[in-house]
Amino acid sequence: MTDALSAVGITVRPDGWIEYKSMLRSVGASGKTSRVEGKREEDGGCTLSGSYEAPFGSTQATYTEEVAYNPETCEFDILVADLTSSQAADLNSMSDAAPSDVSSTEDSADALSSDKTGDAATLATTYSRYLKTSWIDPINITISSQKVGLKWTSSSWLNWAYKRDSFKGCVGGVCLDKTYIYSGSDSFSTLSNGWKKTANVHFRNTSFAKWVVGILGASGWAACGFPTSSQADFYHTDSVTGYKNGGSAWSWSDSKSGACTNLVHHGDQTGASYPF
């Protein structure tokens, strides 16, 4: 069991903690690790939440990654790191796969402000913020992700957008591992001191557990906790807030539940840009 799991970067400790090979550390990033208590949901899954703020002028791109998880206690060890541009490029390329083997279930939307005031708004200083959260499988393929962004000035919002992606593993035209959008919604709020964009999405997969057994055999099934169903569910709730003073805030509340999701870890990234 240990050898099969170690081959994909997973360690199951005697105390029940599951450790994942860190993608951030793989690209040379360093940072601080802290333990976070999640929220137990009715379906048995755990929700991981986070929220941060950045003052005016902050341009650093920040990344966080779940590096360990205890399914019994619903606790997470989270690594937070700031990446250089080259490290960020390396990180984004790690989840890439050959185009012939991958297809994507996509859903996206974007809007342009209707309350711009012509040249005055255009010439004003423009601010941006995006947030992307992901659920990542044992071989560093992103199973599901959602990205939310906002662009604004001190007097009006200019653009908002969201994009959702999920992975399909296909060989010779036959897709053996399908993750699809089960439901989704989004909202936009005008605040007294700014604007807030939120998007929610629920992804479902009924084949990931079969993939785990096919790759890892009995050891993978044991690490999954011997599930009686092959259904796995992944949720993303992501928000970005832009303040009139140029500051910003972002938050997420994501969860995983069902077959073999113990082997899937969380990642998120944010920056002062509008990558849509």
Side-chain angles (χ1 to χ4, degrees), residues 131 146-150 160-162 164 184-189 195-201 236-241 251-253:
L131 169 67
Q146 179 172 251
K147 181 163 59 178
V148 178
L150 183 64
W160 60 254
Y162 65 82
R164 300 155 176 158
S185 63
D186 67 288
S187 62
F188 184 82
S189 304
W195 304 269
K196 182 178 182 179
K197 179 63 188 177
T198 299
N200 309 273
V201 65
H236 301 255
T237 297
D238 302 302
S239 296
V240 172
T241 301
S251 65
W252 68 91
S253 183

Side-chain angles (χ1 to χ4, degrees), residues 55 71 80 124 138 192 226 230 233 250 274:
V80 181
S192 62
F226 304 103
S230 61
D233 293 277
W250 58 97
Y274 189 77

Side-chain angles (χ1 to χ4, degrees), residues 118-192:
D119 292 341
T122 303
L123 294 174
T125 301
T126 300
Y127 312 106
S128 301
R129 171 63 57 182
Y130 82 92
L131 169 67
K132 178 181 179 180
T133 62
S134 307
W135 288 109
I136 305 161
D137 80 358
I139 57 174
N140 293 333
I141 290 176
T142 299
I143 293 179
S144 67
S145 69
Q146 179 172 251
K147 181 163 59 178
V148 178
L150 183 64
K151 184 185 293 185
W152 70 99
T153 71
S154 61
S155 60
S156 65
W157 65 273
L158 301 179
N159 300 82
W160 60 254
Y162 65 82
K163 184 177 182 181
R164 300 155 176 158
D165 289 289
S166 61
F167 175 81
K168 294 180 181 179
C170 306
V171 178
V174 179
C175 298
L176 305 176
D177 184 11
K178 300 179 182 180
T179 306
Y180 57 92
I181 296 172
Y182 187 75
S183 63
S185 63
D186 67 288
S187 62
F188 184 82
S189 304
T190 298
L191 313 175
S192 62

